[in-house]
Amino acid sequence: MLNIVILAAGKGSRMQSRLPKVMHLLAGEPILFHVIRTAKTLVDEFGGAVTVVTGHGREHIDDWVGTLGCRLAYQDRQLGTGHALTIALENASAEGKTLVLYGDVPLVTPDILRPLLAVSDDHLSVLTAIVKDPAGYGRIIRNGDGDVLSIVEHRDASATERAICEINSGIYAAPTALFQRLLPQVKNTNAQEEYYLTDCVALAVAEGAIVHGITGPEAAVMGINDKAQLAQMEQLVQAERRNALLQAGVTLRDPSSVYIMGEVEVGADVVIEPNVTLIGPLSIGTGCHIGFGCHLTRVEVAEQVVLKPYSVLEDTHVGEAAQIGPFARLRPGTRLAANTHIGNFVETKNAEIGVGSKVNHLSYIGDASVGELSNVGAGTITCNYDGANKHRTVLGDRVFVGSNSSLVAPVTVGDGATLGAGSVITRDVEPDALAVSRAPQKSIPSYQRPKKAKE
Ligand code: UD1
Ligand code: MG
């Protein structure tokens, strides 16, 4: 039985923000979400539950944490990390182990945590790291044999202690009963007048328990306390994700300019040009070409699709071998079948475009469906909104829409119909008919233009 407690009640004053620190986004997801994902992987493996301690700004956190299947503990006043864990363990069973994670230390992985859990049952283990710049972190004090004796917070440390480069990650594992025994002994006699969870280490040693300091990689134990650290960590995560894509056979022309948020799946032989942003969940099939400056949010792109530069796609499905852009905007609910073409300055929304159909220039296609092999001419607009309600436009297969036509919805155009250029279509058109609704052309021979009046 594994009891995982994530501490996330602090304000994070150093972020200078109204949003609680752990809700700021790292690679497109709240900092806290990265920690919860790791916790859930371990709970799936060992059994048990995840409890998140919230307090400051809980109205921004609690509902969302609930939907992720975690329990909540409420820390009304943030009296320190020791106080936060006390609250989380108040009603916990004394059986099994407790693993403490910090909501602001997001890069730790299940692989790094497993050795802490492997430590024998009556010991406490703490995850540490050797870092270049230990300022701000608690320092790990070991004896000559390398056993951990205590943790000293930066603010409370002497000059010699501050010179120690091994820091506390804030991540510990111990039998729940051991924490429950030690926590009531923690005092708040320190620079911040807080109940420090770190004091459990010296208390455990005093009780004769062994404390194992397990050293992990520096990046994995980095905490986020201000916007500079958040930015630095974003760069680390992005570098890792770009590298994962490169290893999977994706070509990134300029890796440093590609941003990857959330869960992203990209097939082999995909070429991604510079300045592309991918916001997941998103998938791109093999052999696609994602042009310069494209911005993709929650899309499903099949194989061999070409996205020309500066196309913006959101909540959209793109079928095989479609060609899109440059400068296309595909809004939520767009579903493009295979071999479709969407050209420059075309906006679609809640629109289905059938196999092989083309909307190549300067159009708005909203709340519409277009059948197969139809051609929608330049400047076509679906007038879907009557000022109060939205209506649908339905075009059949092999329809030809002449340039600069308006389709006033609700309206249906049958298979094989042709609409003359410049028409305003307000009534349904039967299959194979030609519908034209513009004034017949007149010619006035030898026409004299008006002349400017003399002064
Ligand atoms: C803490 C550790 C420090 C360690 C560092 C690693 C203590 C006393 N210090 O310092 O040794 O090197 O993390 O990043 O533990 N929190 C609560 N309730 C509270 C106070 C804090 O839930 O009353 C939560 C915060 O939301 C945060 C985490 O605990 O997620 C850590 O708190 P923070 O104030 O950032 O501690 P640090 O000063 O970073
Ligand atoms: Mg911190």
Side-chain angles (χ1 to χ4, degrees):
M1 237 288 284
L2 181 60
N3 183 23
I4 302 187
V5 178
I6 303 175
L7 305 189
K11 178 160 188 254
S13 344
R14 288 167 278 180
M15 293 297 270
Q16 309 286 358
S17 167
R18 272 187 283 181
L19 191 66
K21 170 165 72 177
V22 295
M23 293 307 283
H24 284 263
L25 300 184
L26 172 66
E29 290 162 325
I31 295 170
L32 180 58
F33 183 72
H34 295 260
V35 186
I36 291 178
R37 185 168 40 210
T38 295
K40 292 188 82 164
T41 305
L42 291 173
V43 159
D44 286 347
E45 212 171 305
F46 294 92
V50 181
T51 304
V52 181
V53 182
T54 61
H56 185 86
R58 66 199 285 246
E59 65 280 7
H60 296 280
I61 311 179
D62 285 9
D63 289 346
W64 169 74
V65 162
T67 64
L68 298 173
C70 300
R71 297 178 184 171
L72 284 159
Y74 176 44
Q75 189 190 20
D76 187 12
R77 293 166 60 216
Q78 287 76 59
L79 303 179
T81 46
H83 178 245
L85 185 61
T86 305
I87 287 169
L89 296 186
E90 246 161 24
N91 300 312
S93 139
E95 299 292 310
K97 282 196 171 176
T98 291
L99 171 68
V100 182
L101 303 176
Y102 280 5
D104 66 346
V105 180
L107 295 192
V108 69
T109 61
D111 282 348
I112 293 166
L113 294 172
R114 280 190 202 96
L116 270 82
L117 298 171
V119 162
S120 94
D121 271 350
D122 44 354
H123 296 174
L124 191 149
S125 52
V126 50
L127 182 66
T128 75
I130 316 285
V131 302
K132 280 183 273 318
D133 176 16
Y137 289 101
R139 306 298 205 283
I140 302 289
I141 313 293
R142 294 188 188 247
N143 67 15
D145 297 332
D147 299 327
V148 175
L149 296 180
S150 64
I151 297 174
V152 182
E153 285 307 293
H154 181 88
R155 293 181 206 230
D156 304 302
S158 65
T160 347
E161 287 165 339
R162 285 190 179 183
I164 295 171
C165 286
E166 184 175 20
I167 59 113
N168 170 31
S169 66
I171 291 166
Y172 324 82
T176 304
L178 180 66
F179 277 128
Q180 285 170 331
R181 204 162 60 241
L182 298 177
L183 283 167
Q185 304 172 43
V186 170
K187 305 259 180 330
N188 67 349
T189 45
N190 51 54
Q192 296 194 88
E193 296 188 344
E194 283 186 1
Y195 295 91
Y196 286 168
L197 179 51
T198 44
D199 286 355
C200 283
V201 170
L203 290 168
V205 172
E207 227 192 39
I210 294 178
V211 178
H212 297 266
I214 295 172
T215 311
E218 175 169 0
V221 304
M222 270 171 60
I224 297 176
N225 295 306
D226 57 30
K227 296 265 170 79
Q229 284 170 334
L230 177 60
Q232 208 183 339
M233 198 170 288
E234 181 73 40
Q235 288 308 317
L236 270 176
V237 176
Q238 291 304 328
E240 243 170 50
R241 293 184 174 195
R242 291 163 187 151
N243 196 42
L245 288 189
L246 292 166
Q247 297 305 326
V250 178
T251 300
L252 302 183
R253 206 77 75 185
D254 173 15
S256 67
S257 71
V258 174
Y259 282 83
I260 305 154
M261 315 293 183
E263 302 272 323
V264 162
E265 220 179 285
V266 185
D269 290 321
V270 169
V271 176
I272 300 182
E273 298 291 352
N275 285 6
V276 167
T277 302
L278 305 176
I279 301 174
L282 160 162
S283 66
I284 298 174
T286 55
C288 291
H289 193 116
I290 313 297
F292 191 100
C294 284
H295 190 99
L296 314 188
T297 308
R298 294 180 299 272
V299 297
E300 236 175 55
V301 179
E303 299 181 0
Q304 308 295 335
V305 168
V306 177
L307 295 188
K308 294 174 195 165
Y310 299 108
S311 294
V312 178
L313 284 70
E314 186 182 349
D315 293 304
T316 288
H317 170 91
V318 181
E320 206 175 309
Q323 299 219 14
I324 294 163
F327 300 102
R329 174 156 186 232
L330 309 187
R331 292 171 50 205
T334 297
R335 294 186 65 81
L336 307 181
N339 299 311
T340 43
H341 288 195
I342 302 291
N344 39 218
F345 309 109
V346 172
E347 174 182 347
T348 64
K349 185 217 60 171
N350 202 10
E352 282 163 34
I353 313 285
V355 176
S357 287
K358 298 175 182 171
V359 188
N360 270 335
H361 325 270
L362 301 154
S363 290
Y364 171 61
I365 306 297
D367 299 309
S369 71
V370 177
E372 299 182 359
L373 298 170
S374 290
N375 188 77
V376 177
T380 297
I381 305 291
T382 54
C383 311
N384 57 332
Y385 186 51
D386 61 12
N389 296 300
K390 299 275 170 76
H391 303 280
R392 281 192 79 74
T393 300
V394 178
L395 304 187
D397 297 339
R398 299 175 319 283
V399 167
F400 181 93
V401 180
S403 296
N404 205 27
S405 295
S406 304
L407 299 153
V408 182
V411 69
T412 298
V413 178
D415 293 346
T418 303
L419 309 184
S423 293
V424 177
I425 303 297
T426 54
R427 291 198 315 264
D428 290 356
V429 179
E430 59 273 34
D432 299 314
L434 165 69
V436 202
S437 76
R438 54 178 193 244
Q441 185 170 332
K442 281 198 281 194
S443 262
I444 297 166
S446 307
Y447 175 67
Q448 295 295 314
R449 290 189 205 137
K451 298 216 163 60
K452 220 174 194 170
K454 292 215 170 81
E455 280 162 26

